Amino acid sequence: CVSRGAGELLVTSIDSDGARRGYDLPLLRAISHSVSVPVIASGGAGRASHLVDAVRIGGADAVLVAGILHDGVTTVRALKDAMHEASLPVRALAA
């Protein structure tokens, strides 16, 4: 995909998607270490620590969450706060 011009890769493991057990870290790590473009982790987030793991362990440049927000499990602010506390760069929320 990168050799054909992809500027970033959205990586979703069908086995992890919706399970809320965390992202597929080995898959993320393998891809992020093999490409020169940003990798976005998708599928599997169940709590804030999963986002941190995707970046620290999986090498993701960004994370995607959906179900845990749609279902009211957590908030964007709580996720960003957890990532900030883990010393990961996050964009500030609008006031």
Side-chain angles (χ1 to χ4, degrees):
C1 294
V2 174
S3 67
R4 293 181 175 260
E8 60 194 13
L9 300 177
L10 176 66
V11 178
T12 304
S13 168
I14 195 67
D15 294 329
S16 297
D17 195 27
R20 296 188 182 167
R21 293 185 308 254
Y23 300 97
D24 186 334
L25 299 178
L27 176 65
L28 283 172
R29 188 172 40 253
I31 293 172
S32 67
H33 288 112
S34 299
V35 298
S36 59
V37 297
V39 171
I40 304 164
S42 172
R47 58 181 180 264
S49 64
H50 292 153
L51 282 65
V52 173
D53 290 346
V55 174
R56 285 194 174 154
I57 299 168
D61 297 282
V63 292
L64 182 152
V65 296
I68 59 174
L69 297 176
H70 297 308
D71 294 343
V73 172
T74 190
T75 65
V76 172
R77 177 163 307 280
L79 295 173
K80 285 185 174 236
D81 287 349
M83 293 182 77
H84 178 73
E85 289 170 13
S87 300
L88 296 175
V90 293
R91 292 184 188 149
L93 286 174

